[in-house]
Amino acid sequence: LEAEGYPVRTPLIVDEWNIAAVPPYPEGDLNAGIEGGIYVTASLIAMAEAGVDRQTFQMVVDPGAEGYSGGTFTATGLPRASFAAFMLAGRLAGDALIAGTSHRWLHVAAAREGAVLRVLVAAFEPTPLMAVQAPFDTVPLTAPAAAVEMAGMADSTLRRVLLEGAPPPGRLGNKVTDLLKSGQDTYRRFESDRGRWLEDGRVTVRLPPDLAAGAAARVYTLNASTFPDLPTIRHDHGSLQGGIAARQGRALEALSNAGVSENTRAEFARSLQEDVAEAPMIKDPGAGVRAAIDEAYRTLLDPFLAERARLAESYLARVQQGEAISVAADGSLVLELEARDARLIVVEGRQ
């Protein structure tokens, strides 16, 4: 920033981010499942390391379109793994510490508050497309002409060259050809590490010396073993939607029996489609009709909220529960990680 003429203290703000901007995602609905949650954890750590001051995740709630799972909650309000990731990261408190790892796919952040140390660890093995795309992220800034030339290439051609090792087309400029060959080298390194970089999955965390003696530690885990899988989330989301639809029919019937006009019933139904969790906005319905609408809405909403709360609690229970983990005499502790895994370690030193 200073080299470009900006003040040193210019805030760095990432105003919108996620795995991908718009669906369909070329490698599947990654935002919706555990991959999205671990990606969030690793990205938050990376942004902190880069000195990003503020960031805005896109988005809080899925917009409701089929296959658009960019939110931390489904359209019915069920938490996704990305919400659990923010929940764990939000527990970091105190003064930031310098922390590092032995592999580029292993990320760590740490903060200390008195005798309490919190360490956030994320193991994130990228997908093939993520791995090969990374070297090209800065090309629009560093080589804009090459970026324009690459933008004119078919996706199928790029995939054959970068993921299958096909030679770059001969008509390309030297800069683009060099970039594609560099991308091929990146993909070969990815394939060499893929599935083997964690070896036996055991990762050693070394604590500050003054916390080692008599420290007690607890670890909170977010991975495929502690959070529901994507089919479960989709089933529960559909079940909540189905329950709303069934009760809506009964609610409209009750309004009809109470003498509420057809136009008002239609307005009630439209309001629910826009947002079932918000009370229907009916203009000047009159006291008697208002009471009937409120009763119908409670009959519709209360079971939905109760079931959603039960499901949400069950989704997050294993992540929030945590388990005790032993600290060795030398101040180290051992984690057994999966290739996509996030852990929050809370260490309490002896007072």
Side-chain angles (χ1 to χ4, degrees), residues 62-306:
D62 293 350
E66 187 66 29
Y68 199 159
S69 307
T72 56
F73 293 89
T74 69
T76 51
L78 295 175
R80 294 197 183 277
S82 54
F83 173 79
F86 279 108
M87 183 180 69
L88 290 183
R91 293 189 58 185
L92 283 178
D95 298 321
L97 302 180
I98 296 174
T101 74
S102 58
H103 198 281
R104 67 187 185 280
W105 296 344
L106 192 61
H107 311 268
V108 64
R112 183 165 178 174
E113 194 173 32
V116 179
L117 173 71
R118 297 176 179 89
V119 182
L120 185 64
V121 178
F124 185 75
E125 179 178 297
T127 67
L129 186 58
M130 289 179 190
V132 80
Q133 180 178 311
F136 298 97
D137 286 343
T138 59
V139 171
L141 296 175
T142 59
V148 172
E149 190 174 1
M150 290 183 63
M153 297 177 63
D155 288 346
S156 58
T157 301
L158 286 171
R159 281 182 169 273
R160 283 197 304 273
V161 173
L162 296 173
L163 304 184
E164 300 172 18
R171 66 181 185 278
L172 299 174
N174 291 336
K175 180 62 176 178
V176 174
T177 299
D178 290 343
L179 285 168
L180 292 176
K181 288 181 177 179
S182 176
Q184 289 176 332
D185 291 340
T186 298
Y187 186 68
R188 281 192 288 268
R189 289 194 299 272
F190 164 74
E191 281 294 316
S192 177
D193 278 354
R194 187 182 187 183
R196 294 187 291 273
W197 65 283
L198 272 177
E199 296 180 355
D200 61 357
R202 295 168 66 86
V203 172
T204 300
V205 179
R206 302 197 181 280
L207 306 177
D210 63 314
L211 279 180
R218 196 166 188 85
V219 62
Y220 301 85
T221 300
L222 174 63
N223 60 26
S225 301
T226 63
F227 202 83
D229 60 18
L230 195 48
T232 297
I233 296 172
R234 286 172 174 162
H235 172 272
D236 292 342
H237 171 69
S239 178
L240 286 173
Q241 286 183 316
I244 292 171
R247 287 190 294 273
Q248 181 174 315
R250 292 196 291 271
L252 290 172
E253 183 180 357
L255 290 177
S256 177
N257 294 337
V260 176
S261 71
E262 183 177 349
N263 287 341
T264 301
R265 297 198 305 272
E267 194 175 348
F268 176 87
R270 281 194 302 272
S271 182
L272 292 177
Q273 288 175 354
E274 291 174 2
D275 187 355
V276 71
E278 184 176 334
M281 302 296 292
I282 310 296
K283 294 181 181 179
D284 303 322
V289 173
R290 177 80 265 172
I293 289 174
D294 289 345
E295 178 61 27
Y297 179 62
R298 284 193 297 272
T299 301
L300 173 72
L301 187 66
D302 288 352
F304 165 78
L305 292 178

Side-chain angles (χ1 to χ4, degrees), residues 46 59 93 316 333:
M59 55 188 57
L316 299 171
L333 49 86

Side-chain angles (χ1 to χ4, degrees), residues 27-45:
E27 294 179 294
D29 200 0
L30 300 180
N31 284 337
I34 193 65
E35 298 93 344
I38 310 307
Y39 175 85
V40 163
T41 311
S43 297
L44 290 173
I45 294 172

